[in-house]
Amino acid sequence: MFQLTRRGLIAGLAGTAALGSFGRAAYADTTPYVINTYGGRWEKFWRSQLLPNFEKTAGRPTKLDIGLGNSWVTTFRAAGKEKPPFDVLMTNERYAVMLRAEGFFAPMPAGKVANLADVYPIARYKDDAAVTGIVSPIGIAYRTDLVKTPPKAWRDLWDPKYKGQLGFYSVNNSLAVMFLMLAGKMFGKDQYDIDTGLKKIAELRPFPQVDFSGAMAPLLTQGQVAVAPIDFAEAVALQKKGVPIGTVVPEDGVLMFDQSFNVAANAADKEASYKYIDYMLSPEVQLLLAKEFFTAPTNRKVKVPDELKEAIPVSGDDISKIVTFDWDFVAKNRQVMLDRWAKEL
């Protein structure tokens, strides 16, 4: 039978420390802290740019959970509130609001997240229930070789000259939900006027529906779609590939893909959670995100460099002008929206 003696224990620890010094850093707590993000460029960026420095701050190794909003909602519900699969969830507010209403998250103490004080008001939630850490502005993209007169506003998409040239998103994408509520707001009573929103979007048919900006990009590249809502980062990526794409900052408001950061109510390591959110809100990380994904910094201390201003047309105090929506209403009416969208569009 193996017996661990004091001398053996000391020798073992010394050996472990030695291995650590020749490999990755040795941590007091070797249990990986799980962080979620998306696949592709997001995963690569997290692994190469963000996690190495955060691990030094947290004093722990990290592990990535790669997925999408829907899958994370399912994972959290399956695990239960008492034992969340990881401690901080980053996702679109469309999904976070559902779990928050079910009691999965808890407010974060402002004193534990120092960079909260520098976040723009539009990004900070009441009672610090969450914080928007990443903002991807959304405008209109158009093919410069196929569209003689580009639209200037969302309302212009109803101009008959764009009939048959438009592309949109399926209701599975947050942008479709935003556009539905925007149509209700522009042509009906308000953003809650779903009847008017659906009726107005139906007037735009025929149009292809895709699930993601990444799926819209090939349609724009091939010319199957000449005008479409898209986040500016995706448009810039197409321009860099030589696709003749122009962008419009709509006169009637910019939309956004947001990423809210939420602390699990029963997080196993809340101190690490606060450190992670503080790290993501820091000027250094916000600038890195802007350079990589052309996102608008939510920390007011960050100034968008001149060379990025064309790719990030909305930043600074102007992000307060971004059109926002009532995601609590969306969560409560989710099934109605899904059913009616499928039936009427």
Coordinates of all heavy atoms in Angstrom, one line a residue, residues 12 27 31 45 94 107 133 140 151 164 167 185-186 193 206 213 215 224-225 256 261 267 275-276 280 295 309 311 334:
G12 N 7.5 15.8 -3.8 CA 6.5 15.8 -4.9 C 6.2 17.3 -5.2 O 6.1 17.6 -6.4
Y27 N 0.0 27.5 -10.7 CA -1.0 28.3 -10.0 C -1.3 27.7 -8.6 O -1.3 26.5 -8.4 CB -2.3 28.3 -10.8 CG -2.1 28.9 -12.2 CD1 -2.1 28.1 -13.3 CD2 -2.0 30.3 -12.3 CE1 -2.0 28.7 -14.6 CE2 -1.8 30.9 -13.6 CZ -1.8 30.1 -14.7 OH -1.7 30.6 -15.9
T31 N -7.5 24.3 -10.5 CA -8.8 24.1 -11.1 C -9.1 25.1 -12.2 O -9.2 26.3 -11.9 CB -10.0 24.1 -10.1 OG1 -9.6 23.3 -9.0 CG2 -11.3 23.7 -10.7
F45 N -9.1 34.4 -30.7 CA -8.7 35.6 -30.0 C -8.7 35.4 -28.5 O -7.7 35.9 -27.8 CB -9.8 36.7 -30.3 CG -9.5 38.1 -29.7 CD1 -8.4 38.9 -30.2 CD2 -10.2 38.6 -28.7 CE1 -8.1 40.1 -29.7 CE2 -9.9 39.8 -28.1 CZ -8.9 40.6 -28.6
R94 N -30.7 39.0 -25.4 CA -31.9 38.3 -25.7 C -32.0 36.9 -24.9 O -33.0 36.5 -24.5 CB -31.9 38.0 -27.2 CG -33.0 37.1 -27.7 CD -32.9 36.7 -29.1 NE -34.0 35.9 -29.5 CZ -34.2 35.4 -30.7 NH1 -33.2 35.7 -31.7 NH2 -35.2 34.7 -31.1
P107 N -26.7 40.3 -8.9 CA -25.9 41.6 -9.2 C -24.5 41.4 -8.8 O -24.1 40.6 -7.9 CB -26.7 42.6 -8.3 CG -28.0 42.0 -8.1 CD -27.8 40.5 -8.0
G133 N -20.5 44.4 -22.1 CA -19.1 44.6 -22.3 C -18.6 44.7 -23.7 O -17.5 45.1 -24.0
I140 N -26.5 49.3 -42.3 CA -27.0 48.7 -43.6 C -25.8 48.6 -44.5 O -25.0 49.5 -44.7 CB -28.0 49.6 -44.3 CG1 -29.2 49.8 -43.4 CG2 -28.5 49.0 -45.6 CD1 -30.2 50.9 -43.9
P151 N -29.7 53.3 -49.6 CA -30.7 53.8 -48.6 C -29.9 54.7 -47.6 O -28.7 54.5 -47.3 CB -31.2 52.6 -47.9 CG -30.2 51.5 -48.2 CD -29.5 51.9 -49.5
G164 N -36.8 42.9 -54.0 CA -36.1 41.7 -54.6 C -34.6 41.8 -54.4 O -33.9 40.9 -54.8
G167 N -32.0 41.2 -48.2 CA -31.7 40.0 -47.4 C -32.0 40.3 -45.9 O -31.7 41.4 -45.5
K185 N -42.2 50.1 -34.2 CA -41.9 51.5 -33.6 C -42.0 52.5 -34.7 O -42.6 53.6 -34.5 CB -40.5 51.5 -33.0 CG -40.2 52.8 -32.3 CD -38.8 52.7 -31.6 CE -38.4 53.9 -31.0 NZ -37.1 53.8 -30.3
M186 N -41.5 52.2 -35.9 CA -41.5 53.2 -37.0 C -42.9 53.4 -37.6 O -43.2 54.5 -38.0 CB -40.5 52.8 -38.1 CG -39.0 52.9 -37.7 SD -37.9 52.6 -39.1 CE -38.3 51.0 -39.7
D193 N -45.6 46.9 -30.8 CA -46.6 46.7 -31.8 C -46.2 45.6 -32.8 O -45.8 45.9 -34.0 CB -46.9 48.0 -32.5 CG -48.2 48.0 -33.4 OD1 -48.7 46.8 -33.6 OD2 -48.6 49.0 -33.9
P206 N -40.3 39.3 -51.7 CA -39.5 38.2 -51.3 C -38.1 38.5 -50.8 O -37.5 39.5 -51.3 CB -39.5 37.3 -52.5 CG -39.4 38.3 -53.6 CD -40.3 39.5 -53.2
S213 N -24.8 36.7 -39.5 CA -24.1 37.7 -40.4 C -23.2 36.9 -41.3 O -23.0 37.2 -42.4 CB -23.4 38.7 -39.6 OG -24.2 39.5 -38.8
A215 N -23.6 34.1 -42.5 CA -24.3 33.5 -43.6 C -24.8 34.5 -44.6 O -25.1 34.2 -45.8 CB -25.5 32.7 -43.1
Q224 N -26.4 37.8 -54.6 CA -27.8 37.3 -54.5 C -28.6 38.3 -53.6 O -29.8 38.3 -53.7 CB -27.8 35.9 -53.8 CG -27.1 34.9 -54.7 CD -27.2 33.5 -54.0 OE1 -28.2 33.1 -53.6 NE2 -26.0 32.8 -53.9
V225 N -27.9 39.0 -52.8 CA -28.5 40.1 -52.0 C -27.7 41.3 -52.2 O -26.5 41.3 -52.3 CB -28.4 39.7 -50.5 CG1 -28.7 40.9 -49.6 CG2 -29.4 38.6 -50.2
M256 N -27.6 47.2 -32.5 CA -26.4 46.6 -32.0 C -26.5 45.1 -31.6 O -27.6 44.7 -31.1 CB -25.8 47.4 -30.8 CG -26.6 47.2 -29.5 SD -25.8 47.9 -28.1 CE -27.1 47.8 -26.8
F261 N -22.5 40.6 -19.7 CA -21.8 39.7 -18.8 C -22.6 39.6 -17.5 O -22.9 40.6 -16.8 CB -20.4 40.3 -18.5 CG -19.5 40.2 -19.7 CD1 -19.6 41.0 -20.8 CD2 -18.5 39.2 -19.7 CE1 -18.8 40.9 -21.9 CE2 -17.6 39.1 -20.8 CZ -17.8 39.9 -21.9
A267 N -22.2 31.1 -8.2 CA -20.9 30.9 -8.8 C -19.9 30.3 -7.7 O -20.0 30.7 -6.6 CB -20.3 32.3 -9.2
K275 N -13.2 39.6 -11.2 CA -11.9 39.9 -11.8 C -12.1 39.8 -13.3 O -11.5 40.6 -14.1 CB -10.8 39.0 -11.3 CG -10.4 39.3 -9.9 CD -9.3 38.3 -9.5 CE -8.8 38.6 -8.0 NZ -7.8 37.6 -7.6
Y276 N -12.8 38.7 -13.8 CA -12.9 38.5 -15.2 C -13.7 39.6 -15.9 O -13.3 40.2 -16.9 CB -13.6 37.1 -15.5 CG -13.8 36.9 -17.0 CD1 -12.7 36.9 -17.9 CD2 -15.1 36.6 -17.5 CE1 -12.9 36.7 -19.2 CE2 -15.3 36.4 -18.8 CZ -14.2 36.4 -19.7 OH -14.4 36.2 -21.0
M280 N -12.4 42.3 -18.6 CA -13.1 42.5 -19.9 C -13.5 44.0 -20.1 O -13.5 44.5 -21.3 CB -14.3 41.6 -20.1 CG -14.0 40.2 -20.1 SD -12.8 39.7 -21.5 CE -13.9 40.1 -22.9
T295 N -15.5 46.6 -32.5 CA -16.6 46.8 -31.6 C -16.4 48.2 -31.0 O -15.3 48.8 -30.9 CB -16.6 45.8 -30.5 OG1 -15.3 45.7 -29.9 CG2 -17.0 44.4 -31.0
K309 N -12.0 54.5 -37.2 CA -13.2 55.2 -37.1 C -14.2 54.9 -38.2 O -15.4 54.9 -38.1 CB -13.0 56.7 -37.0 CG -12.5 57.1 -35.6 CD -12.3 58.6 -35.4 CE -11.9 59.0 -34.0 NZ -11.6 60.4 -33.8
A311 N -14.5 52.0 -39.6 CA -15.0 50.7 -39.3 C -15.9 50.7 -38.1 O -16.7 49.8 -37.9 CB -13.8 49.7 -39.2
R334 N -41.7 35.4 -26.5 CA -40.8 34.7 -27.4 C -41.6 33.7 -28.3 O -41.4 33.7 -29.6 CB -39.8 33.9 -26.6 CG -38.8 33.1 -27.5 CD -37.7 32.5 -26.6 NE -36.8 31.7 -27.3 CZ -36.9 30.4 -27.6 NH1 -38.0 29.8 -27.1 NH2 -36.1 29.8 -28.3

